[in-house]
Amino acid sequence: MLKKPPKLKSTIRAKMKGNVNIAAASEAMIELMTLLFLNSLAEEAKAKAFEEKSATIRVHHVRAVSKKVLKKARG
């Protein structure tokens, strides 16, 4: 088992405003939602790279689709 929390959990705790208590289940949901978002971002970037006939996903592919994925995630 891990002896220290993953970096994502410590980042979430550092960016919280004020003294807010988060239950363990809520923390897990936040982490899962973040992973789902990153997965969809990677899929869209992969499709963009494929459109440009590139074998690797580069930074400009991710930047090109990030606005679209953020809008889709907000609903």
Side-chain angles (χ1 to χ4, degrees):
M1 292 203 59
L2 295 174
K3 298 208 184 224
K4 59 182 181 178
K7 187 157 181 77
L8 179 62
K9 286 185 183 178
S10 60
T11 304
I12 291 169
R13 289 211 181 270
K15 291 189 176 192
M16 284 192 305
K17 305 273 191 232
N19 189 13
V20 179
N21 293 328
I22 296 180
S26 299
E27 220 172 79
M29 288 297 288
I30 292 169
E31 192 165 348
L32 288 173
M33 291 298 293
T34 306
L35 291 173
L36 283 171
F37 172 77
L38 290 175
N39 189 23
S40 66
L41 182 65
E43 286 177 8
E44 292 289 332
K46 180 181 173 184
K48 181 72 172 177
F50 186 73
E51 286 175 10
E52 295 180 2
K53 297 179 181 161
S54 176
T56 55
I57 300 172
R58 295 205 165 84
V59 175
H60 64 273
H61 297 130
V62 175
R63 286 189 182 142
V65 298
S66 63
K67 188 173 183 181
K68 184 172 78 171
V69 173
L70 276 172
K71 281 186 177 180
K72 195 187 318 180
R74 287 185 189 142

